[in-house]
Amino acid sequence: MKERDPTQNAEHFHYKNSRDHVLHDMALNGWANQSGGETESHVGQFWRISTSADELAEVVGAFEREIEAAGLTDPTELIGHWLLCELDTADIVVMEYHSERGLLEDFENLTTAYKSWQEDQQTSTIAHLDEEAYLRGEQEAGDA
């Protein structure tokens, strides 16, 4: 996975609202339940986050600065099940789920799509290297 550019601060990303901003901060700081992908892939980098009412105080304590900076006035908006995708366009797409079951299904679907993309990338790279080796061989044969 590509290293995150340290110049990519909150102003770099496109958020629909302050809740999405805080959820993305949580994901970037290791508070997601699971993560996968990478921004260069067709599915982007993605995270699964579930926050219960019992966990809210801990989240608010850990992200007090981020909540304030994002302008989130009602931290209870962070309670729920979320799938976040960070695209190479710097858009942050956040989908809300009524249950963890649907979230898990979609997360697994994204994971499968990402793995397929990775395999295609590896195949393309190998084919490109084989073509370069073939062309070098043709050139060397012509030089002989």
Side-chain angles (χ1 to χ4, degrees):
M1 206 176 300
K2 187 176 135 185
E3 288 286 321
R4 178 166 304 283
D5 181 345
T7 64
Q8 292 179 342
N9 55 23
E11 290 77 30
H12 172 81
F13 297 104
H14 309 133
Y15 301 106
K16 187 174 174 182
N17 54 47
S18 56
R19 180 207 64 200
D20 293 359
H21 185 162
V22 175
L23 288 168
H24 188 228
D25 285 339
M26 290 170 62
L28 294 176
N29 286 289
W31 281 65
N33 302 92
Q34 279 183 292
S35 64
E38 57 187 278
T39 55
E40 294 79 18
S41 75
H42 68 296
V43 294
Q45 185 170 7
F46 49 94
W47 298 269
R48 175 178 73 82
I49 297 177
S50 290
T51 305
S52 69
D54 292 340
E55 298 168 313
L56 186 60
E58 183 180 2
V59 169
V60 169
F63 290 92
E64 187 175 358
R65 279 194 337 254
E66 291 84 352
I67 289 169
E68 185 178 323
L72 181 64
T73 56
D74 182 8
T76 62
E77 291 183 42
L78 300 172
I79 297 172
H81 306 285
W82 318 96
L83 182 61
L84 288 75
C85 297
E86 179 183 319
L87 307 176
D88 63 357
T89 58
D91 290 312
I92 307 302
V93 179
V94 178
M95 293 161 279
E96 183 175 6
Y97 293 80
H98 296 289
S99 72
E100 194 169 33
R101 180 179 175 192
L103 170 60
L104 290 170
E105 287 175 13
D106 283 355
F107 185 88
E108 289 307 316
N109 289 337
L110 280 175
T111 299
T112 300
Y114 172 66
K115 286 179 182 176
S116 176
W117 177 83
Q118 276 186 311
E119 290 169 5
D120 289 347
Q121 294 300 307
Q122 290 170 347
T123 301
S124 294
T125 301
I126 291 169
H128 181 71
L129 292 175
D130 286 347
E131 182 181 348
E132 285 181 354
Y134 174 79
L135 292 174
R136 277 195 307 275
E138 286 284 313
Q139 185 179 21
E140 290 170 5
D143 292 341

